[in-house]
Amino acid sequence: MTIKADKRYLFIREAAWFFLLAFFIIQCTACSPLLFQKVNTESASTARVGDPGLSNEEYAMRLLADGWPVDILNTGVNADFLDDDEKNIILAHNLVRYDPEKYARLYVAEYITYFMDKEFRYPGVETIMLTREGVSAAEELYFDLLRTRAVNLLYPSEDLSKAARSHLRYISQRGIRGHGGQGGLRARIERVGIWEERIAENIAYGSFSAHDAVMYMLIDDQVINRSHRKIILQHGLHKVGVAKGMHPAYPTGYSYVMNYAYDFTPHD
């Protein structure tokens, strides 16, 4: 009786391990093409929508081809105080806020394939970006977005853009980076208006395009708490101001300052 019971136990245990192994293999087979398949960069969605120099209309049309409701998401289209890249920054934010899973599957999965160890090679761009974490941060973003819920859209604010422009001018003239100076974020924003509940600030340096700037803030290479990603995906931020300019320490592209608020009322 004891021998039979032991054999039965061993059989059940081995069968259980077999099914667990089979399940693991099926799951890995289903996931791996999203992360590691070779990409035809001539038709790649990320390369197409992330091309440098796209007007807001061109960016919107390429996103429309990827199935995005750009008439809803392009909230800055009529903001005459923003240039096209600044409008594109807001539209890029709204993509991932509106449908995080779609953004991950369309763009982040492909972006992952642009890494070679810790080098990032963007299609059609000669500059090679050296990262600290390599592909692991992008893979983390992919899985994070799959379990992230949609949040409200962002809408442009002229006065928050003034605050952002003031800080961009401050850091670029001095060749520095960071959120300090002029009394800090709160003081800069309160000079132009009254904010409610919460405010935040992101800065992207030397980005190839607006789409790339938002993508790289989401990846948040070497930022332990992923604070840029958290701000981009934060519920309850409704207004955003954007400023674009050149920073002397980052000549590879434009730098952007983004100021966010739950709500904002400009001074009279």
Side-chain angles (χ1 to χ4, degrees), residues 190-209:
E190 289 181 349
R191 289 190 189 98
V192 294
I194 302 169
W195 58 275
E196 295 183 24
E197 289 200 27
R198 62 181 67 93
I199 53 175
E201 181 173 83
N202 274 338
I203 306 175
Y205 298 94
S207 301
F208 303 134
S209 66

Side-chain angles (χ1 to χ4, degrees), residues 211-246:
H211 187 92
D212 176 72
V214 172
M215 176 70 79
Y216 215 77
M217 286 189 292
L218 285 166
I219 292 174
D220 238 3
D221 179 64
Q222 198 62 15
V223 179
I224 301 290
N225 62 358
R226 309 300 191 209
S227 56
H228 301 89
R229 182 190 307 175
K230 289 177 180 177
I231 290 172
I232 291 173
L233 297 171
Q234 186 174 341
H235 174 74
L237 294 173
H238 298 274
K239 300 292 181 66
V240 63
V242 185
K244 178 192 84 173
M246 293 299 298

Side-chain angles (χ1 to χ4, degrees), residues 148-183:
T148 298
R149 294 184 178 182
V151 294
N152 58 277
L153 301 183
L154 295 173
Y155 291 84
S157 164
E158 183 170 6
D159 290 273
L160 283 176
S161 295
K162 291 178 181 177
R165 198 160 287 116
S166 173
H167 187 55
L168 181 59
R169 185 166 52 248
Y170 178 87
I171 61 175
S172 60
Q173 287 176 348
R174 289 162 178 78
I176 61 175
R177 56 181 294 163
H179 303 280
Q182 299 178 287

